mmCIF file of all heavy atoms in Angstrom:
data_model
loop_
_atom_site.group_PDB
_atom_site.id
_atom_site.type_symbol
_atom_site.label_atom_id
_atom_site.label_comp_id
_atom_site.label_asym_id
_atom_site.label_seq_id
_atom_site.Cartn_x
_atom_site.Cartn_y
_atom_site.Cartn_z
ATOM 1 N N SER D 1 164.930 237.287 53.788
ATOM 2 C CA SER D 1 164.289 236.022 53.449
ATOM 3 C C SER D 1 164.204 234.962 54.540
ATOM 4 O O SER D 1 163.379 234.038 54.450
ATOM 5 C CB SER D 1 165.000 235.376 52.237
ATOM 6 O OG SER D 1 166.350 235.079 52.572
ATOM 7 N N ASP D 2 165.032 235.087 55.576
ATOM 8 C CA ASP D 2 164.946 234.078 56.651
ATOM 9 C C ASP D 2 163.613 234.138 57.375
ATOM 10 O O ASP D 2 163.080 235.208 57.650
ATOM 11 C CB ASP D 2 166.087 234.287 57.662
ATOM 12 C CG ASP D 2 167.432 233.711 57.143
ATOM 13 O OD1 ASP D 2 167.420 233.124 56.029
ATOM 14 O OD2 ASP D 2 168.406 233.833 57.858
ATOM 15 N N LEU D 3 163.095 233.008 57.692
ATOM 16 C CA LEU D 3 161.779 232.900 58.331
ATOM 17 C C LEU D 3 161.840 233.180 59.806
ATOM 18 O O LEU D 3 162.847 232.821 60.462
ATOM 19 C CB LEU D 3 161.171 231.532 58.096
ATOM 20 C CG LEU D 3 160.914 231.104 56.659
ATOM 21 C CD1 LEU D 3 160.371 229.681 56.581
ATOM 22 C CD2 LEU D 3 159.943 232.070 55.953
ATOM 23 N N LEU D 4 160.821 233.787 60.355
ATOM 24 C CA LEU D 4 160.758 234.078 61.763
ATOM 25 C C LEU D 4 160.850 232.787 62.564
ATOM 26 O O LEU D 4 161.515 232.754 63.608
ATOM 27 C CB LEU D 4 159.471 234.815 62.111
ATOM 28 C CG LEU D 4 159.217 235.146 63.571
ATOM 29 C CD1 LEU D 4 160.330 236.038 64.120
ATOM 30 C CD2 LEU D 4 157.862 235.817 63.745
ATOM 31 N N ALA D 5 160.156 231.741 62.145
ATOM 32 C CA ALA D 5 160.166 230.473 62.892
ATOM 33 C C ALA D 5 161.603 229.925 63.009
ATOM 34 O O ALA D 5 161.991 229.450 64.115
ATOM 35 C CB ALA D 5 159.280 229.452 62.191
ATOM 36 N N ASP D 6 162.374 229.979 61.942
ATOM 37 C CA ASP D 6 163.742 229.484 61.996
ATOM 38 C C ASP D 6 164.615 230.366 62.884
ATOM 39 O O ASP D 6 165.492 229.890 63.607
ATOM 40 C CB ASP D 6 164.355 229.457 60.582
ATOM 41 C CG ASP D 6 163.695 228.404 59.697
ATOM 42 O OD1 ASP D 6 163.131 227.455 60.262
ATOM 43 O OD2 ASP D 6 163.742 228.536 58.474
ATOM 44 N N PHE D 7 164.334 231.679 62.857
ATOM 45 C CA PHE D 7 165.080 232.624 63.750
ATOM 46 C C PHE D 7 164.826 232.272 65.185
ATOM 47 O O PHE D 7 165.734 232.215 66.021
ATOM 48 C CB PHE D 7 164.612 234.042 63.408
ATOM 49 C CG PHE D 7 165.086 235.064 64.404
ATOM 50 C CD1 PHE D 7 166.311 235.587 64.371
ATOM 51 C CD2 PHE D 7 164.151 235.545 65.376
ATOM 52 C CE1 PHE D 7 166.738 236.568 65.291
ATOM 53 C CE2 PHE D 7 164.564 236.482 66.274
ATOM 54 C CZ PHE D 7 165.832 237.016 66.250
ATOM 55 N N ILE D 8 163.555 232.030 65.544
ATOM 56 C CA ILE D 8 163.200 231.702 66.934
ATOM 57 C C ILE D 8 163.868 230.370 67.327
ATOM 58 O O ILE D 8 164.356 230.212 68.448
ATOM 59 C CB ILE D 8 161.685 231.655 67.115
ATOM 60 C CG1 ILE D 8 161.077 233.033 66.895
ATOM 61 C CG2 ILE D 8 161.334 231.156 68.545
ATOM 62 C CD1 ILE D 8 159.562 233.085 66.849
ATOM 63 N N ASP D 9 163.866 229.409 66.415
ATOM 64 C CA ASP D 9 164.537 228.108 66.670
ATOM 65 C C ASP D 9 165.991 228.308 67.065
ATOM 66 O O ASP D 9 166.441 227.821 68.112
ATOM 67 C CB ASP D 9 164.487 227.228 65.435
ATOM 68 C CG ASP D 9 163.111 226.695 65.111
ATOM 69 O OD1 ASP D 9 162.197 226.811 65.927
ATOM 70 O OD2 ASP D 9 162.936 226.134 63.964
ATOM 71 N N LYS D 10 166.674 229.062 66.229
ATOM 72 C CA LYS D 10 168.173 229.226 66.441
ATOM 73 C C LYS D 10 168.441 230.038 67.684
ATOM 74 O O LYS D 10 169.382 229.678 68.440
ATOM 75 C CB LYS D 10 168.764 229.877 65.185
ATOM 76 C CG LYS D 10 168.735 228.995 63.962
ATOM 77 C CD LYS D 10 169.236 229.695 62.709
ATOM 78 C CE LYS D 10 169.137 228.818 61.494
ATOM 79 N NZ LYS D 10 169.569 229.558 60.246
ATOM 80 N N GLU D 11 167.693 231.099 67.883
ATOM 81 C CA GLU D 11 167.967 231.949 69.061
ATOM 82 C C GLU D 11 167.570 231.227 70.355
ATOM 83 O O GLU D 11 168.193 231.432 71.412
ATOM 84 C CB GLU D 11 167.260 233.280 68.911
ATOM 85 C CG GLU D 11 167.816 234.147 67.790
ATOM 86 C CD GLU D 11 169.301 234.393 67.943
ATOM 87 O OE1 GLU D 11 169.765 234.739 69.049
ATOM 88 O OE2 GLU D 11 170.024 234.275 66.939
ATOM 89 N N THR D 12 166.493 230.449 70.288
ATOM 90 C CA THR D 12 166.099 229.650 71.465
ATOM 91 C C THR D 12 167.216 228.672 71.835
ATOM 92 O O THR D 12 167.590 228.564 73.020
ATOM 93 C CB THR D 12 164.802 228.892 71.184
ATOM 94 O OG1 THR D 12 163.758 229.851 71.003
ATOM 95 C CG2 THR D 12 164.448 227.963 72.397
ATOM 96 N N ALA D 13 167.726 227.972 70.858
ATOM 97 C CA ALA D 13 168.831 227.001 71.115
ATOM 98 C C ALA D 13 170.040 227.717 71.674
ATOM 99 O O ALA D 13 170.700 227.240 72.591
ATOM 100 C CB ALA D 13 169.169 226.273 69.798
ATOM 101 N N ARG D 14 170.331 228.924 71.128
ATOM 102 C CA ARG D 14 171.504 229.651 71.604
ATOM 103 C C ARG D 14 171.342 230.081 73.065
ATOM 104 O O ARG D 14 172.276 229.977 73.863
ATOM 105 C CB ARG D 14 171.708 230.913 70.738
ATOM 106 C CG ARG D 14 172.943 231.678 70.998
ATOM 107 C CD ARG D 14 173.081 232.861 70.045
ATOM 108 N NE ARG D 14 172.015 233.802 70.203
ATOM 109 C CZ ARG D 14 171.957 234.749 71.114
ATOM 110 N NH1 ARG D 14 172.981 234.898 71.949
ATOM 111 N NH2 ARG D 14 170.959 235.577 71.180
ATOM 112 N N ILE D 15 170.152 230.529 73.416
ATOM 113 C CA ILE D 15 169.859 230.958 74.791
ATOM 114 C C ILE D 15 169.970 229.803 75.746
ATOM 115 O O ILE D 15 170.577 229.885 76.821
ATOM 116 C CB ILE D 15 168.497 231.645 74.873
ATOM 117 C CG1 ILE D 15 168.586 233.052 74.274
ATOM 118 C CG2 ILE D 15 167.979 231.706 76.314
ATOM 119 C CD1 ILE D 15 167.226 233.760 74.206
ATOM 120 N N ILE D 16 169.381 228.669 75.384
ATOM 121 C CA ILE D 16 169.391 227.497 76.264
ATOM 122 C C ILE D 16 170.843 227.039 76.522
ATOM 123 O O ILE D 16 171.171 226.634 77.635
ATOM 124 C CB ILE D 16 168.609 226.337 75.612
ATOM 125 C CG1 ILE D 16 167.112 226.661 75.592
ATOM 126 C CG2 ILE D 16 168.845 224.988 76.364
ATOM 127 C CD1 ILE D 16 166.272 225.644 74.821
ATOM 128 N N GLN D 17 171.702 227.178 75.543
ATOM 129 C CA GLN D 17 173.080 226.736 75.675
ATOM 130 C C GLN D 17 174.027 227.829 76.204
ATOM 131 O O GLN D 17 175.205 227.572 76.422
ATOM 132 C CB GLN D 17 173.602 226.235 74.320
ATOM 133 C CG GLN D 17 172.811 224.998 73.804
ATOM 134 C CD GLN D 17 173.083 224.691 72.356
ATOM 135 O OE1 GLN D 17 173.237 225.582 71.529
ATOM 136 N NE2 GLN D 17 173.107 223.419 72.003
ATOM 137 N N SER D 18 173.499 228.997 76.451
ATOM 138 C CA SER D 18 174.305 230.120 76.935
ATOM 139 C C SER D 18 174.502 230.061 78.445
ATOM 140 O O SER D 18 173.539 229.897 79.190
ATOM 141 C CB SER D 18 173.672 231.450 76.579
ATOM 142 O OG SER D 18 174.357 232.530 77.169
ATOM 143 N N GLU D 19 175.726 230.178 78.898
ATOM 144 C CA GLU D 19 176.016 230.173 80.316
ATOM 145 C C GLU D 19 175.593 231.473 81.001
ATOM 146 O O GLU D 19 175.375 231.502 82.207
ATOM 147 C CB GLU D 19 177.512 229.935 80.537
ATOM 148 C CG GLU D 19 178.035 228.581 80.143
ATOM 149 C CD GLU D 19 179.490 228.361 80.412
ATOM 150 O OE1 GLU D 19 180.124 229.321 80.906
ATOM 151 O OE2 GLU D 19 179.983 227.240 80.136
ATOM 152 N N SER D 20 175.435 232.527 80.238
ATOM 153 C CA SER D 20 175.083 233.835 80.818
ATOM 154 C C SER D 20 173.571 234.012 80.938
ATOM 155 O O SER D 20 173.131 234.992 81.539
ATOM 156 C CB SER D 20 175.636 234.973 79.941
ATOM 157 O OG SER D 20 175.167 234.927 78.643
ATOM 158 N N PHE D 21 172.801 233.073 80.424
ATOM 159 C CA PHE D 21 171.360 233.128 80.561
ATOM 160 C C PHE D 21 170.943 232.216 81.684
ATOM 161 O O PHE D 21 171.019 230.994 81.549
ATOM 162 C CB PHE D 21 170.659 232.732 79.236
ATOM 163 C CG PHE D 21 169.138 232.908 79.284
ATOM 164 C CD1 PHE D 21 168.585 234.080 78.921
ATOM 165 C CD2 PHE D 21 168.350 231.857 79.650
ATOM 166 C CE1 PHE D 21 167.209 234.243 78.959
ATOM 167 C CE2 PHE D 21 166.967 231.968 79.698
ATOM 168 C CZ PHE D 21 166.397 233.188 79.334
ATOM 169 N N VAL D 22 170.496 232.788 82.808
ATOM 170 C CA VAL D 22 170.110 232.013 83.999
ATOM 171 C C VAL D 22 168.597 231.951 83.996
ATOM 172 O O VAL D 22 167.938 232.944 84.334
ATOM 173 C CB VAL D 22 170.674 232.631 85.264
ATOM 174 C CG1 VAL D 22 170.273 231.784 86.467
ATOM 175 C CG2 VAL D 22 172.176 232.769 85.178
ATOM 176 N N LEU D 23 168.030 230.814 83.700
ATOM 177 C CA LEU D 23 166.588 230.693 83.494
ATOM 178 C C LEU D 23 165.804 231.092 84.703
ATOM 179 O O LEU D 23 164.832 231.817 84.621
ATOM 180 C CB LEU D 23 166.246 229.277 83.046
ATOM 181 C CG LEU D 23 164.742 229.029 82.802
ATOM 182 C CD1 LEU D 23 164.215 229.967 81.706
ATOM 183 C CD2 LEU D 23 164.501 227.589 82.411
ATOM 184 N N ASP D 24 166.157 230.607 85.866
ATOM 185 C CA ASP D 24 165.380 230.890 87.113
ATOM 186 C C ASP D 24 165.335 232.388 87.369
ATOM 187 O O ASP D 24 164.269 232.927 87.757
ATOM 188 C CB ASP D 24 165.997 230.191 88.292
ATOM 189 C CG ASP D 24 165.735 228.671 88.210
ATOM 190 O OD1 ASP D 24 164.805 228.242 87.493
ATOM 191 O OD2 ASP D 24 166.488 227.906 88.891
ATOM 192 N N THR D 25 166.457 233.093 87.161
ATOM 193 C CA THR D 25 166.487 234.551 87.342
ATOM 194 C C THR D 25 165.574 235.225 86.305
ATOM 195 O O THR D 25 164.834 236.157 86.659
ATOM 196 C CB THR D 25 167.919 235.072 87.176
ATOM 197 O OG1 THR D 25 168.762 234.456 88.157
ATOM 198 C CG2 THR D 25 167.969 236.590 87.322
ATOM 199 N N GLU D 26 165.647 234.783 85.051
ATOM 200 C CA GLU D 26 164.854 235.409 84.011
ATOM 201 C C GLU D 26 163.347 235.139 84.193
ATOM 202 O O GLU D 26 162.518 235.980 83.882
ATOM 203 C CB GLU D 26 165.311 234.882 82.632
ATOM 204 C CG GLU D 26 166.721 235.266 82.277
ATOM 205 C CD GLU D 26 166.928 236.774 82.240
ATOM 206 O OE1 GLU D 26 165.945 237.537 81.990
ATOM 207 O OE2 GLU D 26 168.071 237.208 82.440
ATOM 208 N N ILE D 27 162.994 234.005 84.739
ATOM 209 C CA ILE D 27 161.591 233.687 85.044
ATOM 210 C C ILE D 27 161.061 234.661 86.085
ATOM 211 O O ILE D 27 159.918 235.155 85.977
ATOM 212 C CB ILE D 27 161.409 232.241 85.460
ATOM 213 C CG1 ILE D 27 161.558 231.298 84.249
ATOM 214 C CG2 ILE D 27 160.068 232.021 86.137
ATOM 215 C CD1 ILE D 27 161.493 229.816 84.606
ATOM 216 N N GLU D 28 161.869 234.964 87.090
ATOM 217 C CA GLU D 28 161.423 235.874 88.156
ATOM 218 C C GLU D 28 161.214 237.309 87.573
ATOM 219 O O GLU D 28 160.264 237.972 87.920
ATOM 220 C CB GLU D 28 162.418 235.916 89.290
ATOM 221 C CG GLU D 28 162.414 234.652 90.132
ATOM 222 C CD GLU D 28 161.047 234.245 90.618
ATOM 223 O OE1 GLU D 28 160.336 235.127 91.212
ATOM 224 O OE2 GLU D 28 160.611 233.109 90.402
ATOM 225 N N ILE D 29 162.096 237.731 86.680
ATOM 226 C CA ILE D 29 161.957 239.051 86.037
ATOM 227 C C ILE D 29 160.693 239.035 85.178
ATOM 228 O O ILE D 29 159.929 239.991 85.119
ATOM 229 C CB ILE D 29 163.190 239.398 85.250
ATOM 230 C CG1 ILE D 29 164.414 239.559 86.196
ATOM 231 C CG2 ILE D 29 162.976 240.730 84.479
ATOM 232 C CD1 ILE D 29 165.735 239.736 85.454
ATOM 233 N N PHE D 30 160.503 237.949 84.427
ATOM 234 C CA PHE D 30 159.343 237.780 83.566
ATOM 235 C C PHE D 30 158.058 237.954 84.391
ATOM 236 O O PHE D 30 157.128 238.691 83.994
ATOM 237 C CB PHE D 30 159.379 236.391 82.938
ATOM 238 C CG PHE D 30 158.165 236.040 82.093
ATOM 239 C CD1 PHE D 30 158.200 236.221 80.719
ATOM 240 C CD2 PHE D 30 157.007 235.493 82.660
ATOM 241 C CE1 PHE D 30 157.108 235.872 79.922
ATOM 242 C CE2 PHE D 30 155.919 235.164 81.856
ATOM 243 C CZ PHE D 30 155.948 235.359 80.526
ATOM 244 N N LYS D 31 158.005 237.343 85.510
ATOM 245 C CA LYS D 31 156.795 237.414 86.381
ATOM 246 C C LYS D 31 156.596 238.844 86.893
ATOM 247 O O LYS D 31 155.483 239.346 86.913
ATOM 248 C CB LYS D 31 156.908 236.471 87.574
ATOM 249 C CG LYS D 31 156.784 235.010 87.170
ATOM 250 C CD LYS D 31 156.930 234.087 88.401
ATOM 251 C CE LYS D 31 156.732 232.635 88.018
ATOM 252 N NZ LYS D 31 156.875 231.726 89.204
ATOM 253 N N ARG D 32 157.694 239.527 87.224
ATOM 254 C CA ARG D 32 157.568 240.934 87.675
ATOM 255 C C ARG D 32 157.055 241.820 86.551
ATOM 256 O O ARG D 32 156.188 242.678 86.776
ATOM 257 C CB ARG D 32 158.941 241.410 88.158
ATOM 258 C CG ARG D 32 159.418 240.786 89.438
ATOM 259 C CD ARG D 32 160.874 241.111 89.727
ATOM 260 N NE ARG D 32 161.091 242.555 89.931
ATOM 261 C CZ ARG D 32 162.286 243.115 90.019
ATOM 262 N NH1 ARG D 32 163.395 242.365 89.927
ATOM 263 N NH2 ARG D 32 162.392 244.436 90.199
ATOM 264 N N VAL D 33 157.538 241.592 85.330
ATOM 265 C CA VAL D 33 157.068 242.368 84.181
ATOM 266 C C VAL D 33 155.589 242.188 83.970
ATOM 267 O O VAL D 33 154.819 243.158 83.772
ATOM 268 C CB VAL D 33 157.844 241.977 82.892
ATOM 269 C CG1 VAL D 33 157.186 242.560 81.633
ATOM 270 C CG2 VAL D 33 159.307 242.419 82.982
ATOM 271 N N PHE D 34 155.123 240.942 83.966
ATOM 272 C CA PHE D 34 153.722 240.719 83.721
ATOM 273 C C PHE D 34 152.810 240.990 84.898
ATOM 274 O O PHE D 34 151.620 241.297 84.735
ATOM 275 C CB PHE D 34 153.539 239.310 83.120
ATOM 276 C CG PHE D 34 153.973 239.257 81.709
ATOM 277 C CD1 PHE D 34 155.256 238.864 81.339
ATOM 278 C CD2 PHE D 34 153.092 239.692 80.696
ATOM 279 C CE1 PHE D 34 155.650 238.882 80.026
ATOM 280 C CE2 PHE D 34 153.489 239.677 79.356
ATOM 281 C CZ PHE D 34 154.786 239.276 79.013
ATOM 282 N N ASN D 35 153.352 240.906 86.090
ATOM 283 C CA ASN D 35 152.583 241.394 87.248
ATOM 284 C C ASN D 35 152.292 242.896 87.099
ATOM 285 O O ASN D 35 151.169 243.368 87.325
ATOM 286 C CB ASN D 35 153.374 241.173 88.549
ATOM 287 C CG ASN D 35 153.418 239.739 89.002
ATOM 288 O OD1 ASN D 35 152.695 238.896 88.478
ATOM 289 N ND2 ASN D 35 154.339 239.437 89.908
ATOM 290 N N LEU D 36 153.334 243.599 86.670
ATOM 291 C CA LEU D 36 153.187 245.058 86.487
ATOM 292 C C LEU D 36 152.227 245.400 85.333
ATOM 293 O O LEU D 36 151.329 246.240 85.512
ATOM 294 C CB LEU D 36 154.561 245.650 86.220
ATOM 295 C CG LEU D 36 154.607 247.149 85.886
ATOM 296 C CD1 LEU D 36 154.131 247.983 87.095
ATOM 297 C CD2 LEU D 36 156.012 247.568 85.479
ATOM 298 N N LEU D 37 152.409 244.769 84.196
ATOM 299 C CA LEU D 37 151.551 245.043 83.026
ATOM 300 C C LEU D 37 150.078 244.696 83.339
ATOM 301 O O LEU D 37 149.174 245.384 82.944
ATOM 302 C CB LEU D 37 152.051 244.289 81.814
ATOM 303 C CG LEU D 37 153.361 244.825 81.210
ATOM 304 C CD1 LEU D 37 153.864 243.900 80.113
ATOM 305 C CD2 LEU D 37 153.179 246.223 80.659
ATOM 306 N N ASP D 38 149.893 243.584 84.025
ATOM 307 C CA ASP D 38 148.529 243.166 84.376
ATOM 308 C C ASP D 38 147.912 244.169 85.343
ATOM 309 O O ASP D 38 146.708 244.502 85.238
ATOM 310 C CB ASP D 38 148.560 241.773 84.982
ATOM 311 C CG ASP D 38 147.147 241.267 85.316
ATOM 312 O OD1 ASP D 38 146.316 241.259 84.406
ATOM 313 O OD2 ASP D 38 146.917 240.865 86.443
ATOM 314 N N GLU D 39 148.706 244.684 86.292
ATOM 315 C CA GLU D 39 148.187 245.650 87.234
ATOM 316 C C GLU D 39 147.820 246.983 86.589
ATOM 317 O O GLU D 39 146.774 247.572 86.854
ATOM 318 C CB GLU D 39 149.211 245.890 88.346
ATOM 319 C CG GLU D 39 148.812 246.914 89.390
ATOM 320 C CD GLU D 39 149.902 247.253 90.358
ATOM 321 O OE1 GLU D 39 150.889 246.481 90.448
ATOM 322 O OE2 GLU D 39 149.751 248.233 91.117
ATOM 323 N N VAL D 40 148.677 247.452 85.675
ATOM 324 C CA VAL D 40 148.507 248.756 85.068
ATOM 325 C C VAL D 40 147.543 248.747 83.880
ATOM 326 O O VAL D 40 146.719 249.664 83.743
ATOM 327 C CB VAL D 40 149.887 249.282 84.615
ATOM 328 C CG1 VAL D 40 149.717 250.584 83.817
ATOM 329 C CG2 VAL D 40 150.777 249.508 85.789
ATOM 330 N N LEU D 41 147.566 247.695 83.082
ATOM 331 C CA LEU D 41 146.769 247.690 81.872
ATOM 332 C C LEU D 41 145.889 246.459 81.683
ATOM 333 O O LEU D 41 145.079 246.416 80.721
ATOM 334 C CB LEU D 41 147.687 247.809 80.621
ATOM 335 C CG LEU D 41 148.309 249.176 80.367
ATOM 336 C CD1 LEU D 41 149.492 249.062 79.475
ATOM 337 C CD2 LEU D 41 147.269 250.123 79.789
ATOM 338 N N SER D 42 146.016 245.471 82.556
ATOM 339 C CA SER D 42 145.222 244.238 82.444
ATOM 340 C C SER D 42 145.285 243.662 81.021
ATOM 341 O O SER D 42 146.401 243.605 80.489
ATOM 342 C CB SER D 42 143.760 244.544 82.882
ATOM 343 O OG SER D 42 143.016 243.337 82.956
ATOM 344 N N ASP D 43 144.175 243.331 80.440
ATOM 345 C CA ASP D 43 144.188 242.668 79.112
ATOM 346 C C ASP D 43 144.317 243.691 77.966
ATOM 347 O O ASP D 43 144.214 243.317 76.811
ATOM 348 C CB ASP D 43 142.927 241.792 78.907
ATOM 349 C CG ASP D 43 141.661 242.561 78.977
ATOM 350 O OD1 ASP D 43 141.684 243.806 79.205
ATOM 351 O OD2 ASP D 43 140.589 241.920 78.836
ATOM 352 N N GLU D 44 144.553 244.944 78.308
ATOM 353 C CA GLU D 44 144.807 245.956 77.254
ATOM 354 C C GLU D 44 146.294 246.153 76.995
ATOM 355 O O GLU D 44 146.657 246.985 76.133
ATOM 356 C CB GLU D 44 144.172 247.286 77.664
ATOM 357 C CG GLU D 44 142.654 247.256 77.748
ATOM 358 C CD GLU D 44 142.060 248.583 78.172
ATOM 359 O OE1 GLU D 44 142.770 249.357 78.889
ATOM 360 O OE2 GLU D 44 140.913 248.830 77.811
ATOM 361 N N ALA D 45 147.129 245.429 77.672
ATOM 362 C CA ALA D 45 148.590 245.666 77.627
ATOM 363 C C ALA D 45 149.135 245.632 76.224
ATOM 364 O O ALA D 45 150.017 246.425 75.879
ATOM 365 C CB ALA D 45 149.311 244.634 78.522
ATOM 366 N N PHE D 46 148.638 244.724 75.384
ATOM 367 C CA PHE D 46 149.211 244.579 74.051
ATOM 368 C C PHE D 46 148.168 244.805 72.948
ATOM 369 O O PHE D 46 148.254 244.278 71.824
ATOM 370 C CB PHE D 46 149.847 243.215 73.891
ATOM 371 C CG PHE D 46 150.918 242.944 74.924
ATOM 372 C CD1 PHE D 46 150.712 242.004 75.914
ATOM 373 C CD2 PHE D 46 152.069 243.700 74.947
ATOM 374 C CE1 PHE D 46 151.677 241.733 76.879
ATOM 375 C CE2 PHE D 46 153.034 243.486 75.928
ATOM 376 C CZ PHE D 46 152.837 242.504 76.885
#
């Protein structure tokens, strides 16, 4: 019964407050992932 929106709210807050989540590092990995997906599949990725 829990809503997806509430789940995203809570997990987002938890990540922001987590010492083990390093945003700058995760952004670089994010860019690598989407560089790759864009190269291999372009707008067909999803």
Side-chain angles (χ1 to χ4, degrees):
S1 63
D2 280 359
L3 299 177
L4 177 60
D6 292 336
F7 169 80
I8 296 173
D9 289 348
K10 292 174 183 177
E11 293 304 315
T12 296
R14 186 178 63 83
I15 285 175
I16 291 172
Q17 295 168 325
S18 172
E19 293 182 358
S20 60
F21 185 88
V22 182
L23 181 60
D24 289 340
T25 300
E26 296 300 334
I27 286 175
E28 289 308 308
I29 297 173
F30 176 96
K31 289 179 178 179
R32 290 169 63 189
V33 168
F34 283 94
N35 287 345
L36 176 64
L37 289 172
D38 183 53
E39 178 185 346
V40 173
L41 285 163
S42 187
D43 61 359
E44 294 180 333
F46 304 113

